[in-house]
Amino acid sequence: EAGVAQSPRYKIIEKRQSVAFWCNPISGHATLYWYQQILGQGPKLLIQFQNNGVVDDSQLPKDRFSAERLKGVDSTLKIQPAKLEDSAVYLCASSPIERSTGELFFGEGSRLTVL
Amino acid sequence: RKEVEQDPGPFNVPEGATVAFNCTYSNSASQSFFWYRQDCRKEPKLLMSVYSSGNEDGRFTAQLNRASQYISLLIRDSKLSDSATYLCVVAYNYGQNFVFGPGTRLSVLP
């Protein structure tokens, strides 16, 4: 079974530029999460989708971050304009709607450096 | 107060040692509890779920105390390959919302 796919793996940009990350979850997984992980910290939820609807975006800095999940499958996360403090790994995770194990399946992440 | 707190670490232990990680959570509505493992520059992966009765998986034992809102992970006979960051995770809303702790880094030394 294919895992969660993310791209790009690495991105370096100047502050005030924009960047977009893409995620393709495991086939059939209804719930998709975007987490931000700053070096030395645990992952912090940015936004959670169930199918193509937003479940929780309370911690998404909406003045600069946006995300969408068209057709309830893959998703994009955009940052515009980027700030230095946005340097982090952006992790996408998915899970099936059934909560039998409580396991989140993560992609390898997209590492962003803002200069 | 942060929603999930863990020992700050890092823990540096010799091979064969027993090491314990502690975690506390503030949301009494939390329903499910997990330990995830994250290797350096890799994504987090589920290590084990934590049940009220306590559970064991080989050298790993997890305990939950709902009254104290406390979770623990014990690793016996540490191996070099156990070196990683251990993340305490609590879930609520019937397992749809996951909150991660900051993690505790473990280095097992030869």
Side-chain angles (χ1 to χ4, degrees):
Chain A
E1 179 182 74
V4 176
Q6 289 190 246
S7 67
R9 289 292 311 281
Y10 305 93
K11 190 75 176 179
I12 301 174
I13 61 173
E14 303 273 340
K15 60 183 178 183
R16 291 186 291 274
Q17 288 186 321
S18 62
V19 63
F21 302 113
W22 173 82
C23 172
N24 191 7
I26 292 173
S27 177
H29 280 194
T31 308
L32 185 149
Y33 308 78
W34 281 102
Y35 283 88
Q36 179 194 59
Q37 187 172 26
I38 293 171
L39 186 65
Q41 299 182 18
K44 183 186 94 171
L45 180 69
L46 292 175
I47 189 167
Q48 176 184 342
F49 294 94
Q50 186 159 306
N51 297 309
N52 59 350
V54 175
V55 174
D56 183 356
D57 65 355
S58 57
Q59 298 189 84
L60 187 73
K62 297 180 184 65
D63 58 334
R64 299 183 302 106
F65 285 65
S66 64
E68 60 183 9
R69 190 184 184 195
L70 299 176
K71 301 180 182 178
V73 181
D74 55 356
S75 175
T76 56
L77 174 71
K78 296 179 182 178
I79 308 174
Q80 180 179 14
K83 292 186 174 181
L84 296 177
E85 60 260 36
D86 298 333
S87 294
V89 177
Y90 291 85
L91 293 162
C92 179
S94 70
S95 68
I97 200 163
E98 301 82 20
R99 302 304 323 128
S100 58
T101 65
E103 184 170 3
L104 288 178
F105 297 84
F106 283 90
E108 292 182 300
S110 294
R111 186 176 298 272
L112 174 65
T113 301
V114 182
L115 303 176
Chain B
R1 182 185 172 190
K2 291 184 178 178
E3 200 163 344
V4 180
E5 298 192 71
Q6 298 186 238
D7 294 328
F11 286 11
N12 298 312
V13 303
E15 268 186 293
T18 296
V19 59
F21 301 110
N22 302 306
C23 170
T24 57
Y25 60 95
S26 60
N27 187 345
S28 59
S30 298
Q31 298 163 318
S32 308
F33 309 89
F34 310 92
W35 285 100
Y36 274 68
R37 170 193 169 126
Q38 186 172 26
D39 292 307
C40 189
R41 301 180 75 86
K42 297 287 190 180
E43 71 274 22
K45 292 184 178 178
L46 179 67
L47 177 66
M48 61 195 299
S49 302
V50 188
Y51 303 115
S52 297
S53 55
N55 49 299
E56 189 174 306
D57 183 2
R59 297 180 293 108
F60 299 81
T61 301
Q63 299 275 358
L64 166 65
N65 184 323
R66 287 186 184 266
S68 303
Q69 296 182 195
Y70 168 82
I71 306 160
S72 66
L73 176 68
L74 186 75
I75 305 177
R76 292 181 301 278
D77 189 24
S78 300
K79 311 291 185 191
L80 296 175
S81 57
D82 294 333
S83 296
T85 294
Y86 291 83
L87 296 159
C88 176
V89 183
V90 302
Y92 54 97
N93 193 21
Y94 301 101
Q96 287 294 309
N97 298 93
F98 293 80
V99 180
F100 284 75
T104 303
R105 187 157 59 89
L106 170 67
S107 293
V108 181
L109 308 172

